[in-house]
């Protein structure tokens, strides 16, 4: 399961609406890809469809899809949003990460 904080929910709805997505039917696609200073990096996009091997979740009225491979790295993660002057944008609070980089955009297990 992937959770979505209240602040992340507000920002996701705002951005999806601005980009022409429908928050009641479309998805936030969360994934993991190779790269970043710690070895793996997070990937966050909007998507209108789910793929055959996707896991689908809904938390805090946000529909999330994750491919099976990425799901193994993201179990128990909370998507948060940090705004303001020193904010980082979307932040993944991942309990599976042994090490993260300073920017919080990459991790290793």
């Amino acid at each position: 399961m992937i959770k979505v904080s209240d602040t992340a929910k507000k920002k996701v709805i705002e951005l999806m609406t601005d980009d022409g997505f429908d928050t009641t039917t479309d998805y936030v696609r969360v994934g993991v890809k190779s790269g970043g200073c710690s070895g793996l990096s997070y990937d966050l996009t909007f998507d209108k469809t789910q793929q055959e091997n996707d896991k689908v979740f809904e938390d805090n009225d946000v529909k999330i899809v994750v491919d099976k491979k990425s799901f193994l790295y993201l179990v128990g993660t909370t998507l948060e949003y940090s705004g303001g002057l020193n904010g980082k944008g979307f932040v993944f609070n991942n309990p599976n990460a042994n090490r993260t980089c300073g920017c919080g955009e990459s991790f290793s297990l």
Side-chain angles (χ1 to χ4, degrees):
M1 176 91 178
I2 295 174
K3 299 212 173 272
V4 179
S5 73
D6 289 337
T7 54
K9 172 190 171 180
K10 290 175 189 171
K11 195 62 175 179
V12 162
I13 290 171
E14 176 187 328
L15 292 172
M16 286 184 85
T17 302
D18 289 350
D19 286 353
F21 288 88
D22 182 346
T23 58
T24 62
T25 58
D26 297 332
Y27 305 95
V28 174
R29 179 168 294 281
V30 181
V32 173
K33 59 185 179 182
S34 295
C37 47
S38 292
L40 297 170
S41 62
Y42 298 106
D43 190 29
L44 184 69
T45 59
F46 302 132
D47 203 335
K48 292 185 178 286
T49 60
Q50 81 182 65
Q51 303 300 316
E52 182 178 330
N53 290 323
D54 284 342
K55 297 248 183 214
V56 181
F57 305 98
E58 185 169 342
D59 186 62
N60 209 356
D61 298 324
V62 175
K63 296 178 187 313
I64 301 167
V65 290
V66 182
D67 65 87
K68 281 186 179 180
K69 180 182 172 191
S70 295
F71 177 70
L72 298 173
Y73 297 107
L74 296 171
V75 172
T77 295
T78 300
L79 178 62
E80 299 180 15
Y81 183 80
S82 176
L85 293 175
N86 294 324
K88 297 179 182 178
F90 287 104
V91 177
F92 292 86
N93 185 353
N94 186 344
N96 305 305
N98 289 333
R99 183 174 52 119
T100 60
C101 66
C103 65
E105 293 179 7
S106 67
F107 69 102
S108 66
L109 299 177

